[in-house]
Amino acid sequence: MNKDNRYFYEPNKGHGLPHNPLNAIIGPRPIGWISSRNAQGQRNLAPYSFFNCFNYDPPIIGFASTGWKDSVANIVETGEFVWNLTTRSLAAQMNQTSAALPRGTDEFEFAGLTPIAGNIVNADRIAQSPVNFECKLSQCIQLTAANGDKIDTWLVLGEVVAVHIEKHLLSDEGIYQTALAEPVLRAGGPSAYYGISDELRFDLNRPTL
């Protein structure tokens, strides 16, 4: 501990804790449940815990992959992918798709999920997921450290070109009901996830000057 009673560490020297706290502090985080196809048409489905939305108009979402994994290779090859919302009822199946399966294995079949062809992109949506974003690749960026060293991590950004939302998640006024979908969010540690509920909601209006 330092003098202000805060735990202090420099990441490049190690954190000295049982588990790296970084992804617990930046959290809970939405899950990037990404489906894609390679040029031969083989499906792939994998969850990524470093995921978020980065732009409003045009809508751009992205995920980071440690290593050049099948999802990244497929998306760079074809320029297309789908993001699928992970809900509480789908959490176990989402977790199944994180298994290190042999290349070419269909994670849809492995996890008992139903593929539906995209309307615009040549990648499959998860039928059981209540929200799907069809995306076209906008950038694939290899991350670098502050000193310029390249890192074996790839940031994949995609423009959302089509959105599918189950109608029961929209109020009569047409407002999306976040908690009603029961999204699953990733936390720190090897097994921690969270849900959200309307009981935890609070509202803030932007200040006017």
Side-chain angles (χ1 to χ4, degrees):
M1 293 286 184
N2 61 13
K3 291 181 180 179
D4 68 358
N5 202 37
R6 295 190 179 203
Y7 191 86
F8 172 82
Y9 70 94
E10 297 174 64
N12 65 348
K13 298 177 182 177
H15 50 75
L17 297 169
H19 191 273
N20 191 333
L22 178 70
N23 56 1
I25 295 167
I26 308 298
R29 289 162 286 122
I31 296 168
W33 205 6
I34 306 298
S35 51
S36 62
R37 284 179 178 263
N38 63 19
Q40 291 72 46
Q42 293 175 312
R43 283 190 291 261
N44 182 265
L45 177 62
Y48 291 86
S49 66
F50 287 99
F51 165 85
N52 223 303
C53 182
F54 296 99
N55 198 55
Y56 207 35
D57 186 19
I60 292 176
I61 63 171
F63 70 94
S65 171
T66 302
W68 187 267
K69 295 179 180 170
D70 288 348
S71 296
V72 181
N74 290 353
I75 293 166
V76 168
E77 189 174 31
T78 65
E80 300 176 328
F81 66 96
V82 175
W83 171 78
N84 305 275
L85 177 67
T86 302
T87 63
R88 183 65 186 89
S89 63
L90 293 171
Q93 287 165 293
M94 176 277 296
N95 190 50
Q96 280 187 288
T97 63
S98 69
L101 301 174
R103 184 174 177 82
T105 302
D106 189 332
E107 287 86 0
F108 279 86
E109 292 182 5
F110 180 75
L113 296 164
T114 306
I116 299 180
N119 286 30
I120 294 177
V121 306
N122 187 29
D124 296 284
R125 301 184 286 122
I126 298 174
Q128 291 87 344
S129 175
V131 181
N132 320 99
F133 292 169
E134 298 184 37
C135 303
K136 287 187 175 290
L137 176 66
S138 57
Q139 291 174 278
C140 180
I141 304 165
Q142 184 174 13
L143 300 186
T144 62
N147 64 3
D149 287 349
K150 291 185 177 181
I151 304 168
D152 189 25
T153 297
W154 303 84
L155 175 62
V156 177
L157 298 170
E159 180 179 345
V160 180
V161 295
V163 177
H164 305 259
I165 305 172
E166 288 193 2
K167 290 181 180 179
H168 77 276
L169 297 179
L170 299 173
S171 69
D172 292 339
E173 296 78 27
I175 297 174
Y176 180 78
Q177 302 300 296
T178 302
L180 186 60
E182 297 187 317
V184 171
L185 309 172
R186 190 69 169 96
S191 61
Y193 291 85
Y194 283 95
I196 62 173
S197 70
D198 272 324
E199 288 72 27
L200 300 174
R201 172 179 167 169
F202 63 95
D203 291 85
L204 296 172
N205 294 316
R206 291 185 180 181
T208 56
L209 302 178

